[in-house]
């Protein structure tokens, strides 16, 4: 017996199971009121540690105690009901009211008699159209630094826009006026801001989208799906209507499995040169690998309380019931970056999410309509850092001849400095009208050098060739930490919209 | 689901389109067979077949005229195989009237068509070489019988083990069933209740008829006051009970008594005559009934129960456009108000709304009111206010792609009982609108009334009119009685009939309009 114990102690660094996500980030599932299906569609923070939850069933719940270490301390109060699908909830610290983004309206909710239930429902703005089609979801943000609400408006179905501003992102100013802000939206799943206050949304695989994407909402830009561009006449502030991308799907009516002579003609990287308003996706959330149904965008502003990923973005997925992590940088004025798996195993499809100042990530959602891996029809959950730092790819920076990769912990110079510890694959998606698409135009580059930095926390990879516009899928299977541990997640997908000059 | 075509002509009041027959047909793996040998539809009925190829070979689904030798037709292609290959093995034969594509393994296609107008047996077959001998079936087109007329229900509350003597009980709620199909989805009660359905059944000629019944829990059918078939007690809807009898030509009193203890709620009734196939009289179909029109699966109802406070439901409500706001008031009266036209769109009695359509799957489509006696006093999504020097003129009609100019939606506030006051502006004037209920909308004799109060502040344009009703009205004793199929009365001061419009000169101040169902 003693001998066995001794042996196992001796061998533990080698024999111990590899670390798992739950060692570093734990998920707590809250019980929800029996009288409702808490299909969370949106979450915002309120004063005194309270949360506001908007649901797909049109309810708004105010939650207390969700930050407590004891999940049984959570309590729920129904603030409002009967709204048309609350996929955006925003607390306004100026007037202390909640604002709900619903199917066809931003509603300001007031509790004038202070009984904990809303009694005044004011239309803040209802300028966009609604045709009755199920697909026309309206997904709203919390308030940005200017006091605006952003709303992304799903198209009528996948291809077209039956009523004004379907397929657009709009801003609602504090005075209630609407400013058309970006065209080219297809099927948004979530909207959020980075640490600098820049707005992003997630679009979903479909026409003009080979994969789900994280996209930078640059005011005045065209985000890629031309279906809603018929409304430029109603948006003089946006300037002239962009020229249409090439409707590749009409060229011969071939199915996407059919081979085309000379390959697929249309690429985001070439269409960007023709269509000046077109902003490429900041990050492709690679279909089937990162997720299938991208939703909430959560920025870590907790200054370390959520672990080592300060200011990075976390993107949720309804179908995969997971969170992925995104590090972004700006090259030649364009946002781009890497997405890395982060945490799977949420109970249902995640739709809404928000991090509080203490670094607690509150998420919730439902599997309704598309199915979700989590298995439960709906959920409200919390994801927290356990205090242990995982060995992870931390940041990935594009360089003229490769990438610089940083890590959350010191690396083992021998393995990290060996080019055989890495492999890379480059690919893209056709930018075309047809639904979805394969990973195409594969390039298998050579990794010619892997140079570990003097501080032992980063490595400089030299790669030949880099392909502008391609997703660069980096595998780091052989890299070990100084403690000889493998990476918790051994892959990152970098979308190389621009190759830096230096 | 009115299954009989001629009943739709007979009963103009309840006329509505025959619902599509929805089927799923699959090819079986490595068996050279379809999984469905027979499909039963009505003449002219829209048919939607989801055809799925579960086999490892290509297959199609080809419908032919009665009497076609399908095997010979398929075989004939081998005389010119290159031409047939170009046609993807679809024979060039005038007897083919509907078909799918040639599906590759594990592909799927939805085939839609209208069933032939003529009754008969229409063969279907796979025309890929060598498949036609065993991969075949028959689409049977047959006339169905009449369904019930003037179907009414009375709901009773109680806990029973067997059917009670309903004649000694007082109903909790009564009303009529617009689609004339027996159904227990009328209310917000899930356990411990009973329902008595009464209506008329018209026998097309003197002869023998057969009645079918299954239920969970107990039920019985009475014709002209005499029990025909019974399935009493607490049980699941396992068996179908049946019994025949002779009926004289003409109208007969139909009565079905049903009670629910707990658990599942299911009720199936049907009849059959010498000249028509088994014809359901109920919305729900027993899985073993011999008909072939399978309904698509519906969702379990999620009724929104109105207790002592008003309940609001903003979603797509049939007849209230895309910005409809449903309000269920205590007292069994409900409305849908439109934040598109800033007008009352619908009024109905009984139960409020069923949210299951919107709270399942992706939530598509417009849901109709759950209750009954639905009134639409003016057209769908038309404003009440309008400037015209001819009040008999046609009021603006809804253009789904546009918004009504001059209107601005402000929102609503709730009073202590959660009843909303809607607010909007029109041409600069501010308007508030609220509703109260009198009587009991849960009872046909409950004298239910909806009282609409309008407060207009600010200046209105000249020649501004406010329309409270449209259609044909008769003015009597200070009331306006609608001459539409569903009679109701409007009481309002200063109203005048102008053509099809019942209008009031719009002015600043307070207006009260009362809507009441004729008893």
């Amino acid at each position: 017996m003693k001998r066995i114990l001794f042996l196992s102690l001796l061998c533990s660094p080698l024999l111990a199971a590899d670390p798992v996500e739950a060692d570093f980030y734990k998920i707590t599932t809250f019980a929800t009121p029996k009288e409702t299906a808490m299909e969370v569609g949106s979450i915002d923070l309120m004063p005194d540690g309270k949360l506001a939850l908007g649901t797909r069933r049109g309810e708004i719940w105010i939650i207390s105690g969700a930050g407590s270490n004891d999940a049984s301390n959570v309590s729920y109060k129904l603030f409002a009901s009967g709204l048309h699908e609350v996929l955006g909830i925003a607390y306004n610290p100026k007037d202390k009211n909640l604002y709900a983004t619903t199917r066809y309206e931003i509603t300001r909710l007031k509790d004038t008699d202070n009984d904990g239930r809303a009694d005044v429902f004011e239309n803040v703005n209802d300028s966009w159209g609604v045709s009755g089609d199920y697909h026309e979801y309206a997904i709203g943000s919390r308030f940005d630094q200017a006091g605006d609400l952003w709303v992304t408006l799903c198209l009528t179905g996948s291809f077209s826009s039956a009523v004004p501003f379907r397929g657009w992102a709009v801003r609602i100013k504090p005075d209630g006026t609407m400013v058309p802000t970006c065209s080219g939206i297809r099927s948004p799943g979530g909207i959020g801001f980075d640490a600098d206050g820049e707005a992003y949304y997630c679009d979903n695989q479909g026409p003009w989208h080979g994969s789900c994407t994280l996209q930078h909402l640059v005011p005045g830009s065209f985000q890629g799906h031309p279906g809603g561009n018929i409304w430029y006449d109603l948006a003089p502030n946006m300037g002239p209507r962009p020229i249409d991308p090439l409707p590749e799907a009409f060229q011969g009516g071939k199915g996407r499995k059919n081979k085309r002579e000379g390959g697929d003609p249309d690429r985001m990287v070439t269409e960007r040169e023709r269509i000046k308003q077109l902003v490429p996706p900041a990050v492709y959330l690679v279909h089937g690998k990162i997720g299938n149904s991208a939703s909430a965008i959560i920025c870590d502003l907790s200054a370390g309380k959520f672990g080592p990923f300060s200011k990075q973005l976390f993107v949720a997925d309804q179908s995969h019931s997971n969170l992925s992590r995104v590090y972004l940088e700006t090259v030649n004025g364009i946002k781009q970056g890497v997405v890395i798996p982060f945490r799977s195993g949420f109970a249902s499809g995640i739709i809404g999410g928000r991090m509080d100042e203490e670094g607690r990530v509150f998420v919730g959602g439902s599997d309704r309509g598309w199915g979700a891996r989590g298995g439960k029809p709906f959920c409200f959950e919390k994801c927290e850092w356990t205090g242990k730092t995982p060995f992870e790819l931390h940041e990935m920076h594009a360089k003229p001849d490769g990438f610089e990769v940083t890590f959350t912990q010191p690396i083992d110079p021998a393995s990290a400095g060996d080019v055989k510890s890495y492999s890379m694959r480059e690919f893209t998606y056709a930018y075309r009208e047809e639904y979805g698409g394969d990973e195409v135009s594969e390039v298998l580059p050579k990794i010619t050098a892997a140079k570990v930095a003097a501080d032992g926390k980063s490595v400089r990879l030299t790669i030949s060739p880099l392909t502008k516009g391609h997703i660069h899928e980096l595998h780091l299977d052989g890299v070990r930490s100084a403690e000889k541990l493998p990476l918790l997640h051994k892959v990152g997908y970098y979308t190389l919209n621009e190759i830096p000059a230096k | 689901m009115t299954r009989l075509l001629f009943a739709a002509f007979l009963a103009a009041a309840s006329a509505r389109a025959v619902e599509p027959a929805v089927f799923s047909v699959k090819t079986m793996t490595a068996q050279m067979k379809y999984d469905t040998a027979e499909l039963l539809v009505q003449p002219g009925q829209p048919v939607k077949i989801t055809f799925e190829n579960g086999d490892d070979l290509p297959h199609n689904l080809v419908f032919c005229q009665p009497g076609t030798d399908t095997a010979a037709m398929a075989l004939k292609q081998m005389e010119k195989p290159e031409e047939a290959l170009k046609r993807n093995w679809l024979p060039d034969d005038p007897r083919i009237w509907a078909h799918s594509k040639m599906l590759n393994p594990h592909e799927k296609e939805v085939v839609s068509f209208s069933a032939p107008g003529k009754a008969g047996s229409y063969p279907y077959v796979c025309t890929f070489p060598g498949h036609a001998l065993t991969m075949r079936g028959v689409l049977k087109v047959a006339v169905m019988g009449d369904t019930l007329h003037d179907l009414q229900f009375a709901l009773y509350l109680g806990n029973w083990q067997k059917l009670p003597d309903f004649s000694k009980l007082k109903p909790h709620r009564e009303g009529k069933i617009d689609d004339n199909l027996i159904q227990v989805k009328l209310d917000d009660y899930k356990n411990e209740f009973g329902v008595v359905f009464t209506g008329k059944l018209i026998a097309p000629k003197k002869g023998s008829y057969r009645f079918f019944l299954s239920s969970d829990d107990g039920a019985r059918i009475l014709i002209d006051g005499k029990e025909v078939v019974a399935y009493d007690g607490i049980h699941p809807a396992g068996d179908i009970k049946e019994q025949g009898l002779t009926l004289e030509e003409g109208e007969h009193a139909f009565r079905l008594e049903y009670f629910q203890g707990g658990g599942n709620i299911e009720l199936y009734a049907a009849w059959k005559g010498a000249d028509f196939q088994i014809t359901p009289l109920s919305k729900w179909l027993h899985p073993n009934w011999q008909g072939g029109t399978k309904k698509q699966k519906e969702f379990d109802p999620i009724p929104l129960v109105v207790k002592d406070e008003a309940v609001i439901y903003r979603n797509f409500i049939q007849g209230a456009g895309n910005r409809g706001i449903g309000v269920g008031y205590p007292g069994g009266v409900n409305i849908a108000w439109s934040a598109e036209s800033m007008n009352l769109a619908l009024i109905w009695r009984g139960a409020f709304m069923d949210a299951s359509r919107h709270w399942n799957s992706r939530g598509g489509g417009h849901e109709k009111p759950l209750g009954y006696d639905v009134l639409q006093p003016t057209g769908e999504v038309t404003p009440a206010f309008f400037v015209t020097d001819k009040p008999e003129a046609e009021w603006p009609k809804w253009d789904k792609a546009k918004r009504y100019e001059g209107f601005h939606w402000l929102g609503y506030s709730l009073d202590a009982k959660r009843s909303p006051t809607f607010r909007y502006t029109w041409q600069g004037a501010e308007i508030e609108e609220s509703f109260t209920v009198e009587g009991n909308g849960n009872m046909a004799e409950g004298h239910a009334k909806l009282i609409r109060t309008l407060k207009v502040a600010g200046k209105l344009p000249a020649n501004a009119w406010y329309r409270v009703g449209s259609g044909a009205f008769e003015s009597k004793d200070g009331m306006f009685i609608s001459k539409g199929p569903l009679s109701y009365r409007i009481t309002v001061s200063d109203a005048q009939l102008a053509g099809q419009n019942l209008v009031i000169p719009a002015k600043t101040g307070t207006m009260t309009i009362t809507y009441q169902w004729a008893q």
Side-chain angles (χ1 to χ4, degrees), chain B residues 129-344:
Chain B
H131 294 188
L133 278 175
T134 52
M135 196 168 247
R136 58 203 299 181
V138 179
L139 175 83
K140 282 195 176 164
V141 178
V143 174
M144 301 198 75
D146 193 5
T147 49
L148 293 161
H149 300 264
D150 301 336
L151 185 62
Q152 315 261 342
F153 74 90
L155 171 81
Y156 300 80
L157 301 184
N159 184 5
W160 307 290
Q161 297 297 308
K162 278 185 162 309
L163 284 164
D165 182 352
F166 284 109
S167 66
K168 292 188 175 146
L169 301 173
K170 193 173 172 298
H172 169 75
R173 179 182 283 178
E174 294 174 326
K176 65 177 214 173
I177 299 173
D178 291 335
D179 63 9
N180 284 308
L181 285 170
I182 288 165
Q183 54 198 285
V184 191
K185 200 186 150 181
L186 298 160
D187 216 293
D188 28 62
Y189 298 93
K190 292 217 150 168
N191 294 309
E192 298 180 0
F193 66 85
V195 187
V196 175
F197 298 89
T198 51
K200 283 182 271 186
L201 199 55
I202 298 164
K205 63 178 189 186
K206 182 180 174 173
S208 70
Y209 293 85
R210 220 166 168 76
F211 284 84
F212 304 84
L213 175 69
S214 187
S215 58
D216 178 351
D217 293 301
R220 63 176 186 151
I221 293 175
L222 299 93
I223 301 292
D224 298 327
K226 264 180 64 183
E227 182 178 297
V228 177
V229 55
Y231 191 9
D232 204 356
I234 302 273
H235 50 72
D239 306 334
I240 297 177
K241 306 286 179 192
E242 56 176 285
Q243 191 61 51
L245 84 165
T246 303
L247 293 178
E248 293 294 323
E249 181 182 334
E251 196 177 296
H252 297 272
F254 175 93
R255 181 180 172 94
L256 189 151
E257 299 179 355
Y258 165 83
F259 83 96
Q260 153 73 348
N264 286 342
I265 298 173
E266 274 156 357
L267 183 53
Y268 166 70
W271 72 321
K272 180 181 187 303
D275 300 330
F276 60 89
Q277 53 165 302
I278 294 179
T279 300
L281 303 172
S282 62
K283 197 160 194 162
W284 184 71
L285 300 177
H286 192 283
N288 298 336
W289 87 287
Q290 288 161 38
T293 33
K294 289 175 204 144
K295 279 218 77 173
Q296 265 180 312
K297 190 184 176 296
E298 284 188 9
F299 301 114
D300 287 338
I302 308 176
L304 300 175
V305 180
V306 180
K307 291 175 185 162
D308 49 0
E309 288 185 340
V311 175
I312 290 192
Y313 184 64
R314 298 179 76 169
N315 214 308
F316 298 137
I317 299 172
Q318 202 174 299
N322 299 325
R323 297 171 194 256
I325 304 176
V327 188
Y329 293 93
V333 174
N334 315 278
I335 65 161
W337 203 83
S338 166
E340 181 96 49
S341 60
M342 314 301 159
N343 197 2
L344 176 66

Side-chain angles (χ1 to χ4, degrees), chain B residues 49-68:
Chain B
I49 299 171
T50 303
F51 176 48
E52 195 175 342
N53 185 9
D55 195 18
D56 302 324
L57 296 168
H59 294 296
N60 64 4
L61 182 65
V62 176
F63 292 87
C64 309
Q65 292 297 335
T68 306

Side-chain angles (χ1 to χ4, degrees), chain B residues 73-118:
Chain B
M73 179 185 79
L75 190 63
K76 194 165 183 288
Q77 299 181 99
M78 295 312 287
E79 291 170 11
K80 289 177 184 170
E82 271 142 29
E83 262 177 44
L85 188 60
K86 270 188 214 156
R87 295 176 51 81
N88 226 338
W89 299 106
L90 179 71
D92 186 8
D93 192 307
R95 292 171 297 178
I96 294 174
W97 53 270
H99 64 88
S100 74
K101 290 191 291 234
M102 185 65 72
L103 295 192
N104 284 319
H106 308 293
E107 281 185 348
K108 202 154 87 169
E109 185 190 348
V110 176
V111 184
S112 299
F113 54 82
S114 288
K118 219 172 127 184

Side-chain angles (χ1 to χ4, degrees), chain A residues 202-281:
Chain A
C202 286
D203 215 319
N204 274 261
Q205 191 218 25
W208 304 104
H209 285 268
S211 169
C212 294
T213 49
L214 175 73
Q215 310 211 166
H216 183 200
L217 289 170
V218 181
S221 66
F222 166 53
Q223 297 283 324
H225 191 309
N229 286 1
I230 54 173
W231 306 116
Y232 263 84
D233 287 351
L234 303 179
N237 65 309
M238 289 282 288
R241 174 181 170 160
I243 53 170
D244 281 342
L246 292 173
E248 182 262 1
F250 294 142
Q251 294 176 0
K254 291 180 179 172
R256 69 171 134 131
K257 301 282 183 205
N258 297 110
K259 285 259 186 309
R260 290 171 179 79
E261 282 171 39
D264 287 306
D266 299 329
R267 295 289 180 266
M268 179 61 74
V269 69
T270 48
E271 289 293 75
R272 272 178 64 200
E273 287 169 17
R274 260 182 4 103
I275 308 168
K276 64 178 172 47
Q277 301 95 327
L278 178 60
V279 169

